[in-house]
Amino acid sequence: MSIVFFGELMLRLSPPGRELLLQTPKLKVNVGGAEANVATGLACLGHKVRMISAVSDNPLGGAVIGELRRRGVDTSTVVSEAGRLGLYFLTPGAGLRASEVVYDRAYSVFAQRDASSWDWDALLEGATRLHLSGITPALGHNTAAAAIAAAEAAGARGIPVSFDGNYRAKLWESWDSDPKAVLTQLIGHADLLFGNHRDISLLLGREFSGDGADRRREAAEAAFAAFPKLQTIANTARHVDDADSHRVSARVDTRAGGYQTDEVLIAGIVDRIGAGDAFAAGVLHGLIESKGDAKAAAHAGLALTALKHSLPGDASLFTRADLAAFDEGGLDVRR
C-alpha cells in the first residue's frame, strides 16, 4: 500500500553558486519534478510512496530513476520510452535579483504520451492516495486528459486525491489551454487542496476582500462551498525581503475551522525551489501521523518547508529526526 504520485520527471540544470546562466561553461544537475519532490519528501520521512511517470529510454532517464530509487521511491510504475527527457534551467537569485526559470520540456516523453496509454486499473492498485499537481495538466492536451482520467479513476475506486495548484502561467500559455476549466474539474475530485486565495480566485472568478488570515478563511469557505468533496486546504503565506531572507507562515483549513502558525524568518536561503513541494510533503505527513489534525499538519508543513530552504536541489531529504530537532529549536552544532 503506497501513496501514489503522477507527474513528469525532469532534470534541473543550474550554474554554480549564484552565477548567471552560462556565465561560466558549467552546469549542476539535479533531479526535479513537483510530484516526485513530494514523493521524495515523504519517503525520507518513512512513508511508502510510488511514482507513475514516463522517462526517456537513455542514460538521462536511467539516472532519474536511479536517483529516485536511492531516495526510497518505488519506481516500478515509471516507464522508459524513446524520446526526450524534460529539462529546466534555473538561475538562482541573490540579494534583490530574483531567481529565473527557463523551461525546455516541450515534446518530452511524458508530455507526448497519449492519455489512453495509462492503465489506471493497474497503476492505482494498492494506492492509499493519489497526488497530482497543476503542472501536469499545464503541459498540454495529453497530460491534461491523463490527469483528469487519473483523478476520475481514483474517485471511482474510493482513493482520496490531493491536488497542488502549482499554477505555471508560462506552461498554460504555451498551448490553447483553458486552465480554469481543467483545474476546476480536477479539484472537484480532491479532498485535499494545496492552494491559496489567489488560486481559489482563479477557479471561482471572484476576489476576496479580507486581509491576512481573514481573507484566507473567506477563500477557504468559498472553495468548500464550490467543491463538495474538498475537506482540507493547506497553504503558506510568504513575504520576500530579498532572495536570501523570507518570512513564512503556514495555514491549514478544514470545514470546521482553520489553524495558522506564527510567521518564521528564513534567512540565509540556500535554495527555495521545491519549498512548496516540501510543504505538501510535511502537511501530508502531519495529517497521516495525527489522523487529520490541522494544527499538527500546519506545523509539520512549516517545518519541512523551512528546512528545505537550507538544502540545494529540488527535493526535501529530511527525516523525522530532523523535524523533531526543528521543533525543539536550537541552532548550535548537534554533537
PDB file of all heavy atoms in Angstrom, residues 318-330:
ATOM      1  N   PHE A 318      14.897  15.412   4.330  1.00  0.00           N
ATOM      2  CA  PHE A 318      14.958  15.414   5.789  1.00  0.00           C
ATOM      3  C   PHE A 318      14.141  14.274   6.393  1.00  0.00           C
ATOM      4  O   PHE A 318      13.169  13.796   5.803  1.00  0.00           O
ATOM      5  CB  PHE A 318      14.481  16.755   6.329  1.00  0.00           C
ATOM      6  CG  PHE A 318      15.362  17.897   5.892  1.00  0.00           C
ATOM      7  CD1 PHE A 318      15.001  18.716   4.836  1.00  0.00           C
ATOM      8  CD2 PHE A 318      16.581  18.112   6.513  1.00  0.00           C
ATOM      9  CE1 PHE A 318      15.826  19.744   4.415  1.00  0.00           C
ATOM     10  CE2 PHE A 318      17.417  19.139   6.099  1.00  0.00           C
ATOM     11  CZ  PHE A 318      17.044  19.959   5.046  1.00  0.00           C
ATOM     12  N   THR A 319      14.560  13.851   7.578  1.00  0.00           N
ATOM     13  CA  THR A 319      13.973  12.712   8.268  1.00  0.00           C
ATOM     14  C   THR A 319      13.080  13.169   9.423  1.00  0.00           C
ATOM     15  O   THR A 319      13.009  14.357   9.747  1.00  0.00           O
ATOM     16  CB  THR A 319      15.072  11.805   8.837  1.00  0.00           C
ATOM     17  OG1 THR A 319      15.772  12.541   9.866  1.00  0.00           O
ATOM     18  CG2 THR A 319      16.059  11.395   7.750  1.00  0.00           C
ATOM     19  N   ARG A 320      12.446  12.205  10.052  1.00  0.00           N
ATOM     20  CA  ARG A 320      11.641  12.515  11.243  1.00  0.00           C
ATOM     21  C   ARG A 320      12.506  13.115  12.349  1.00  0.00           C
ATOM     22  O   ARG A 320      12.052  13.994  13.094  1.00  0.00           O
ATOM     23  CB  ARG A 320      10.954  11.247  11.752  1.00  0.00           C
ATOM     24  CG  ARG A 320       9.879  10.724  10.813  1.00  0.00           C
ATOM     25  CD  ARG A 320       9.308   9.396  11.290  1.00  0.00           C
ATOM     26  NE  ARG A 320       8.378   8.854  10.316  1.00  0.00           N
ATOM     27  CZ  ARG A 320       7.101   8.583  10.565  1.00  0.00           C
ATOM     28  NH1 ARG A 320       6.606   8.797  11.775  1.00  0.00           N
ATOM     29  NH2 ARG A 320       6.303   8.086   9.628  1.00  0.00           N
ATOM     30  N   ALA A 321      13.740  12.651  12.461  1.00  0.00           N
ATOM     31  CA  ALA A 321      14.639  13.213  13.471  1.00  0.00           C
ATOM     32  C   ALA A 321      14.924  14.685  13.188  1.00  0.00           C
ATOM     33  O   ALA A 321      15.028  15.500  14.115  1.00  0.00           O
ATOM     34  CB  ALA A 321      15.940  12.416  13.514  1.00  0.00           C
ATOM     35  N   ASP A 322      15.049  15.039  11.921  1.00  0.00           N
ATOM     36  CA  ASP A 322      15.273  16.435  11.551  1.00  0.00           C
ATOM     37  C   ASP A 322      14.065  17.295  11.917  1.00  0.00           C
ATOM     38  O   ASP A 322      14.209  18.429  12.389  1.00  0.00           O
ATOM     39  CB  ASP A 322      15.559  16.559  10.058  1.00  0.00           C
ATOM     40  CG  ASP A 322      16.851  15.881   9.647  1.00  0.00           C
ATOM     41  OD1 ASP A 322      17.854  16.000  10.375  1.00  0.00           O
ATOM     42  OD2 ASP A 322      16.852  15.204   8.601  1.00  0.00           O
ATOM     43  N   LEU A 323      12.857  16.771  11.679  1.00  0.00           N
ATOM     44  CA  LEU A 323      11.653  17.506  12.063  1.00  0.00           C
ATOM     45  C   LEU A 323      11.592  17.699  13.569  1.00  0.00           C
ATOM     46  O   LEU A 323      11.236  18.772  14.061  1.00  0.00           O
ATOM     47  CB  LEU A 323      10.400  16.760  11.590  1.00  0.00           C
ATOM     48  CG  LEU A 323      10.031  16.840  10.109  1.00  0.00           C
ATOM     49  CD1 LEU A 323       8.703  16.122   9.871  1.00  0.00           C
ATOM     50  CD2 LEU A 323       9.950  18.264   9.625  1.00  0.00           C
ATOM     51  N   ALA A 324      11.921  16.652  14.315  1.00  0.00           N
ATOM     52  CA  ALA A 324      11.901  16.753  15.774  1.00  0.00           C
ATOM     53  C   ALA A 324      12.911  17.776  16.266  1.00  0.00           C
ATOM     54  O   ALA A 324      12.622  18.571  17.177  1.00  0.00           O
ATOM     55  CB  ALA A 324      12.188  15.384  16.392  1.00  0.00           C
ATOM     56  N   ALA A 325      14.106  17.793  15.661  1.00  0.00           N
ATOM     57  CA  ALA A 325      15.129  18.759  16.052  1.00  0.00           C
ATOM     58  C   ALA A 325      14.675  20.184  15.732  1.00  0.00           C
ATOM     59  O   ALA A 325      14.929  21.115  16.500  1.00  0.00           O
ATOM     60  CB  ALA A 325      16.443  18.445  15.340  1.00  0.00           C
ATOM     61  N   PHE A 326      13.994  20.366  14.605  1.00  0.00           N
ATOM     62  CA  PHE A 326      13.480  21.687  14.247  1.00  0.00           C
ATOM     63  C   PHE A 326      12.467  22.156  15.290  1.00  0.00           C
ATOM     64  O   PHE A 326      12.484  23.315  15.724  1.00  0.00           O
ATOM     65  CB  PHE A 326      12.831  21.643  12.866  1.00  0.00           C
ATOM     66  CG  PHE A 326      12.274  22.964  12.410  1.00  0.00           C
ATOM     67  CD1 PHE A 326      13.074  23.865  11.729  1.00  0.00           C
ATOM     68  CD2 PHE A 326      10.949  23.297  12.660  1.00  0.00           C
ATOM     69  CE1 PHE A 326      12.560  25.087  11.304  1.00  0.00           C
ATOM     70  CE2 PHE A 326      10.430  24.512  12.238  1.00  0.00           C
ATOM     71  CZ  PHE A 326      11.240  25.410  11.568  1.00  0.00           C
ATOM     72  N   ASP A 327      11.580  21.265  15.705  1.00  0.00           N
ATOM     73  CA  ASP A 327      10.569  21.616  16.695  1.00  0.00           C
ATOM     74  C   ASP A 327      11.190  21.967  18.042  1.00  0.00           C
ATOM     75  O   ASP A 327      10.681  22.830  18.764  1.00  0.00           O
ATOM     76  CB  ASP A 327       9.583  20.466  16.879  1.00  0.00           C
ATOM     77  CG  ASP A 327       8.675  20.287  15.671  1.00  0.00           C
ATOM     78  OD1 ASP A 327       8.526  21.252  14.900  1.00  0.00           O
ATOM     79  OD2 ASP A 327       8.139  19.175  15.499  1.00  0.00           O
ATOM     80  N   GLU A 328      12.299  21.308  18.374  1.00  0.00           N
ATOM     81  CA  GLU A 328      12.965  21.572  19.649  1.00  0.00           C
ATOM     82  C   GLU A 328      13.688  22.910  19.651  1.00  0.00           C
ATOM     83  O   GLU A 328      13.930  23.501  20.712  1.00  0.00           O
ATOM     84  CB  GLU A 328      13.960  20.457  19.956  1.00  0.00           C
ATOM     85  CG  GLU A 328      13.300  19.119  20.265  1.00  0.00           C
ATOM     86  CD  GLU A 328      14.305  17.982  20.333  1.00  0.00           C
ATOM     87  OE1 GLU A 328      15.516  18.265  20.219  1.00  0.00           O
ATOM     88  OE2 GLU A 328      13.874  16.826  20.478  1.00  0.00           O
ATOM     89  N   GLY A 329      14.049  23.402  18.463  1.00  0.00           N
ATOM     90  CA  GLY A 329      14.775  24.664  18.375  1.00  0.00           C
ATOM     91  C   GLY A 329      16.241  24.472  18.696  1.00  0.00           C
ATOM     92  O   GLY A 329      16.725  23.370  18.967  1.00  0.00           O
ATOM     93  N   GLY A 330      16.974  25.569  18.647  1.00  0.00           N
ATOM     94  CA  GLY A 330      18.411  25.483  18.901  1.00  0.00           C
ATOM     95  C   GLY A 330      19.174  25.259  17.630  1.00  0.00           C
ATOM     96  O   GLY A 330      18.919  24.296  16.905  1.00  0.00           O
TER      97      GLY A 330
END
